[in-house]
Amino acid sequence: MTVTARAYPNIALVKYWGKADEDLILPVAGSMSMTLDDYPTTTSVTLADTETFNLNGTEQDGAGSARVHTFLGFIRDLAEKQGLPTATAHARVVSVNEGPTAAGMASSASGFAALAVAAAAAYGLDLDTKDLSRLARRGSGSASRSIIDRFAVWHAGDDESSYAEEIQAPDMAMISVPVATGEKAVSSRKGMVATATTSPFYPEWITSTEQILEEMIDACTAGDFTTIGEIAEVHAMRMHAVIAASRPSIRYLNSASLDVFDRIAQLREEGIETYGTADAGPNVFAITKPGDAAAVAKAFAPFTRDGDAKILFPGRGAHLVDTDQVRAGTGEQP
Ligand code: PMV
């Protein structure tokens, strides 16, 4: 039997950067994000005699497949704990990722969230949303948040208490401004270690992130879009600053990204309320009220390589989809 799940990337408004525990993937501070409604990863898992991983039509070996194999090991451990006969089974994993992989578009988040949901179902695990979030976290920290619908807060804590859960926030849109699609030079994993070990601003980053998360939660609860946007932009800049202060310096934003941030500031002066954020890559996301999304997308069309500034809204957390419909190309659309 084949089980299929779909998950979307999420873009953090309060960023996760740094681990308190490398093995368990526990963050040094909490974070908050919006799950998107496009760029899905759709993943099918079939129990099999040998373990294989196919991504976008190509069989994977090396580092990409090693992370998937390690993750399937966690699934088998859980199956054993739950006394399931599947505890010794291997799996064939087939994944289609519709966003640019490893270019700061959170492909690891949608990837491991979809894999967590599909593999948990294929192995017959009994897990609630909280446990699925904890499980996805082991694949990639930010994947814990892609389990959740719309807006998520991922708590720092121990293995039990570090999971993401939904938070209410006012409706908003994100305009993706893809200025580059290549693989990033330094993975998040390596960049986080370099920052933690060599950036003198790192302790301050941790304490200020905790404070800013509290402010963000208050602003979300109050439905205060202006404060949400201001906090999101300044926190993204702080993340890129603490990273840039590593030795040797690491820089994810390029000159095209900075041009986008400049235009965002200009749009604010022109009276369109929009704020910017960027993950560990050069692509920028503009945050707007839903009613301003079309105007902002239009302003950024000339900045993208293919004129495609995409409007994204809050989307669904990871969920099972009908495998037959996916094969026939009639699967549910966001
Ligand atoms: O989950 P990872 O290891 O891909 O790290 C993601 C880190 C950022 O995207 C830069 C920030 C975040 O909170 O998503």
Side-chain angles (χ1 to χ4, degrees), residues 10-12 14-17 19 31-32 67 106 108-109 140-143 145 154 184 188-189 192 239 243 278-280:
N10 67 77
I11 299 298
V14 174
K15 305 288 184 190
Y16 147 58
W17 195 260
K19 294 180 180 69
S31 56
M32 182 258 166
R67 280 177 76 182
S108 63
S140 186
S142 57
R145 299 185 308 234
W154 171 25
K184 56 192 169 201
S188 305
R189 203 160 274 221
M192 284 184 201
M239 180 186 79
I243 294 170
D279 281 341

Side-chain angles (χ1 to χ4, degrees), residues 71 117 142 161 189 223 286-287 291 313-314 320:
F71 189 78
V117 169
S142 57
S161 59
R189 203 160 274 221
I287 306 159
F313 291 104
L320 291 172

